[in-house]
Amino acid sequence: MLRICTAIVLAFMPVSGIADIMGVVHVIDADTLDVGGIRIRLHAIDAPEQDQNCTTEHGVAFGCGAWATDQVVARFAGQYAKCSATDIDKYGRTVATCDVGGVDVGSEIVSLGWAFAYRRYGMDYDLDEVAAAAADRGLHGFHVQSPAQFRATRAKGRIPLDPNCRIKGNISKHGQIFHVPGQEFYERTGINLSRGERWFCSNTEARAAGWRAARR
């Protein structure tokens, strides 16, 4: 009940009037925390999405979004934080800077290469990212699509929600056709679930559902 009341107050109060938020840190992902029962989106940083993959210099893919979250969990989970609100985002989350034991959480995360400076919303951590990139710390040692670009591509139905089910079942004037990664039209093909298009986890599954393989 207290959490509901607090959320209602935050929704109708101007940001400048929000008191500091204090409490134990529960990590949601590398740029999102729960502090004192309030969902916090850390100001001016952007981390890979939980299901986002990156690639090593040898071409090996790994779940860098989950990895970044694990680093933040190990560093900050269970500690006491004091956060100062700067805004409310479109999802109703409180945007804030947070301090744990005298450490700026956003600065620490960016400095260690677990997230990037989100310059669109502030230059607070620009130099932290520059230093991390120069030292190849964390994500800077891998090939990483920017989280913002990843979200935009996924929104167009080009990135699967389940990384294990990457085959695209597309419906066109040529019928129900599935595309596998590496084929000519795979990247440009988007999946619109409302039209009956879907993702498949295997060629066998796609064929059993009535889709045929793309010729190229």
Side-chain angles (χ1 to χ4, degrees), residues 139-203:
L139 295 166
H140 299 285
F142 308 104
H143 299 289
V144 187
Q145 183 181 32
S146 78
Q149 185 179 21
F150 176 85
R151 289 190 294 270
T153 304
R154 183 173 61 186
K156 295 177 181 177
R158 292 181 182 151
I159 295 177
L161 294 177
D162 183 344
N164 297 312
C165 300
R166 303 176 61 202
I167 296 172
K168 297 178 177 181
N170 177 245
I171 300 174
S172 71
K173 63 181 180 181
H174 302 295
Q176 296 177 318
I177 302 171
F178 69 85
H179 302 262
V180 301
Q183 287 191 296
E184 181 177 352
F185 298 109
Y186 181 83
E187 295 297 336
R188 73 179 70 174
T189 298
I191 296 304
N192 186 338
L193 298 177
S194 67
R195 294 181 59 234
E197 297 176 335
R198 53 181 292 192
W199 296 93
F200 294 104
C201 303
S202 69
N203 291 9

Side-chain angles (χ1 to χ4, degrees), residues 73-116:
V73 168
R75 176 66 179 84
F76 292 112
Q79 299 189 58
Y80 192 83
K82 179 178 180 180
C83 303
S84 298
T86 62
D87 201 355
I88 301 292
D89 73 8
K90 64 181 180 180
Y91 302 108
R93 299 175 299 186
T94 300
V95 180
T97 58
C98 293
D99 179 285
V100 170
V103 174
D104 181 324
V105 175
S107 176
E108 181 87 342
I109 291 172
V110 174
S111 294
L112 292 172
W114 303 336
F116 304 100

Side-chain angles (χ1 to χ4, degrees), residues 12-145:
F12 289 97
M13 286 180 66
V15 172
S16 59
I18 299 176
D20 287 336
I21 300 163
M22 294 173 283
V24 174
V25 173
H26 174 67
V27 177
I28 304 302
D29 57 36
D31 57 25
T32 310
L33 315 173
D34 275 353
V35 177
I38 302 299
R39 183 61 51 90
I40 302 290
R41 177 62 165 85
L42 290 169
H43 168 68
I45 78 169
D46 201 17
E49 297 298 311
Q50 278 286 79
D51 58 343
Q52 186 171 344
N53 287 331
C54 300
T55 308
T56 69
E57 61 181 24
H58 300 296
V60 178
F62 79 103
C64 58
W67 173 84
T69 298
D70 289 344
Q71 308 315 303
V72 177
V73 168
R75 176 66 179 84
F76 292 112
Q79 299 189 58
Y80 192 83
K82 179 178 180 180
C83 303
S84 298
T86 62
D87 201 355
I88 301 292
D89 73 8
K90 64 181 180 180
Y91 302 108
R93 299 175 299 186
T94 300
V95 180
T97 58
C98 293
D99 179 285
V100 170
V103 174
D104 181 324
V105 175
S107 176
E108 181 87 342
I109 291 172
V110 174
S111 294
L112 292 172
W114 303 336
F116 304 100
Y118 208 175
R119 296 174 179 87
R120 173 182 174 184
Y121 294 104
M123 297 295 289
D124 308 52
Y125 308 116
D126 174 65
L127 294 180
D128 293 320
E129 182 182 310
V130 170
D136 284 338
R137 283 195 290 268
L139 295 166
H140 299 285
F142 308 104
H143 299 289
V144 187
Q145 183 181 32

